[in-house]
Amino acid sequence: MKKNDSNIKKAIKYLNNNECIGIPTETVYGLAGNAYSDKAVSRVYKLKRRPRNNPLIAHYYSINSLKKDCEIDNTFIKLYKKFCPGPISFVLKLKKKSRVSKIITNNSNSVAVRFPSHSLTRKLLKKINYPLAAPSANISAGISPVSKQDVVDEFGPKLKFILDGGPSKIGLESTIINLIGKPHILRLGGINSKLIYKIINQLENKNKKKIKIKVPGTSKLHYSPGIPVRLNAKKNYQNEAYILIKKRKKLDKNYFYISKTNNLKQAAKNLYKTLRIIKKKGYKKIAIENIPNINIGEAINDRILRASKK
Ligand code: TXA
Ligand code: MG
């Protein structure tokens, strides 16, 4: 515990100096900087090699700290009460007097916000008086990191400090919902879209508004492991790494289990880690067996589909 406290102190020192640091979250590790500081967030973009027109998520401790910066409505409050802190991000309207850096909003009047549940990062957020802008802590378009070592592998000594919070529990990024206008999901993720669906439709039943699920495929190379990925593979070909979620009788050195019992939560947690291991071993091709498109399987399929696009 004492070690954690001194690491949080260190983290705050870096952040107060407009440096960026690695932070653990329950979804994936983030590359964090003071979201009120143009200087800090510029460093995040530079280190990550992120195109400047791609906005960042601001991470807050609670609704109270958020209220200064964003307009909130009943739909937001209901979803916040149900899912936060947790793996969901909301696109909200900025208040005129908001202090959020225009850089992370791409100069627009909206911002994506999130309340991560990881205990260390919550401790950190509680102690600072600014939100943290934090994209996933990987070089743009690559695989998100799910451990401190993954972040080290991405940035090496260029990143001066990483708060070590152990392996990410969920292993896939947050669900993103746009609450401006008709609510719609922009990215599938840690919270099942149907659960969100249910709550919004209960709220908006009177207006017969139905939530629309839209998965943007803007960047084809997103979540790319950098080698070809073949989906719904019934078997593997020679020299192909084969990602499986159910145990096979046969032994094969090219088999990589993300679960042995068809457990989708476990599969989500192990997916990015396994993709990294496969790359490190020098494979040039990956095959993945069919993943059931239910619960977090939806988000897994979204990521591997994008990973499979050339
Ligand atoms: O789980 C997560 O959300 C992780 C952890 C670190 O919190 N963060 C994360 O951030 O995945 P990033 O930047 O890697 O992905 C955020 C996505 C990007 O595709 C970005 O385009 C989109 O969210 N986004 C950010 N701000 C937005 C906005 N104002 N409107 C629409 N999309 C936005
Ligand atoms: Mg990312």
Side-chain angles (χ1 to χ4, degrees), residues 48 50 135-138 141-142 144 173 187 222-223:
K48 191 179 154 78
R50 168 98 151 202
S136 52
N138 54 281
S144 296
E173 302 80 355
R187 177 176 75 182
H222 230 100
Y223 312 103

Side-chain angles (χ1 to χ4, degrees), residues 269-310:
K269 186 177 177 202
N270 288 326
L271 178 69
Y272 288 159
K273 183 173 88 181
T274 305
L275 289 173
R276 278 178 191 270
I277 291 171
I278 290 170
K279 257 201 95 177
K280 268 191 194 158
K281 283 185 182 272
Y283 283 90
K284 297 283 181 274
K285 284 178 184 173
I286 302 175
I288 307 183
E289 90 167 309
N290 179 268
I291 309 282
N293 205 36
I294 47 167
N295 302 323
I296 201 162
E298 266 187 356
I300 299 178
N301 279 318
D302 169 62
R303 300 306 189 275
I304 60 178
L305 180 66
R306 293 193 213 198
S308 73
K309 296 233 167 93
K310 289 189 195 89

Side-chain angles (χ1 to χ4, degrees), residues 65-233:
S65 42
L66 172 90
K67 274 180 184 162
K68 288 175 277 179
D69 294 323
C70 295
E71 307 279 358
I72 55 173
D73 63 8
N74 285 340
T75 311
F76 170 77
I77 291 169
K78 191 105 189 220
L79 294 171
Y80 176 86
K81 282 189 177 153
K82 176 89 184 166
F83 298 118
C84 297
I88 181 167
S89 300
F90 308 89
V91 177
L92 301 174
K93 257 194 206 145
L94 281 166
K95 281 191 171 163
K96 282 220 172 71
K97 55 174 194 198
S98 147
R99 290 175 62 200
V100 172
S101 162
K102 283 283 171 200
I103 296 171
I104 74 158
T105 68
N106 194 22
N107 262 316
S108 78
N109 54 7
S110 61
V111 66
V113 303
R114 163 162 140 68
F115 310 86
S117 67
H118 193 290
S119 60
L120 264 189
T121 291
R122 270 183 72 69
K123 270 192 181 170
L124 170 64
L125 285 168
K126 199 175 177 183
K127 288 201 163 110
I128 52 181
N129 53 8
Y130 45 84
L132 292 176
S136 52
N138 54 281
I139 304 290
S140 224
I143 300 168
S144 296
V146 292
S147 68
K148 180 186 175 187
Q149 188 56 47
D150 291 350
V151 184
V152 173
D153 290 348
E154 290 285 331
F155 301 110
K158 279 188 185 162
L159 183 60
K160 291 187 188 132
F161 185 74
I162 304 165
L163 196 55
D164 189 354
S168 300
K169 275 200 185 114
I170 294 176
L172 290 181
E173 302 80 355
S174 62
T175 303
I176 304 179
I177 180 159
N178 189 340
L179 292 182
I180 300 175
K182 190 172 175 172
H184 55 282
I185 287 177
L186 294 172
R187 177 176 75 182
L188 298 169
I191 290 181
N192 186 244
S193 60
K194 291 204 178 62
L195 279 179
I196 299 174
Y197 227 145
K198 219 172 132 185
I199 287 174
I200 292 181
N201 287 338
Q202 275 167 6
L203 254 178
E204 304 194 342
N205 220 2
K206 283 184 224 138
N207 316 344
K208 294 259 179 292
K209 272 193 196 172
K210 280 265 185 251
I211 184 176
K212 191 171 76 188
I213 299 187
K214 190 176 90 187
V215 181
T218 43
S219 169
K220 277 198 234 158
L221 271 176
H222 230 100
Y223 312 103
S224 170
I227 51 177
V229 177
R230 193 165 63 83
L231 303 182
N232 301 319

Side-chain angles (χ1 to χ4, degrees), residues 39-55:
K39 194 171 172 185
V41 300
S42 295
R43 284 179 164 157
V44 173
Y45 275 90
K46 192 167 172 214
L47 191 56
K48 191 179 154 78
R49 290 190 236 139
R50 168 98 151 202
R52 292 280 279 216
N53 61 2
N54 194 356

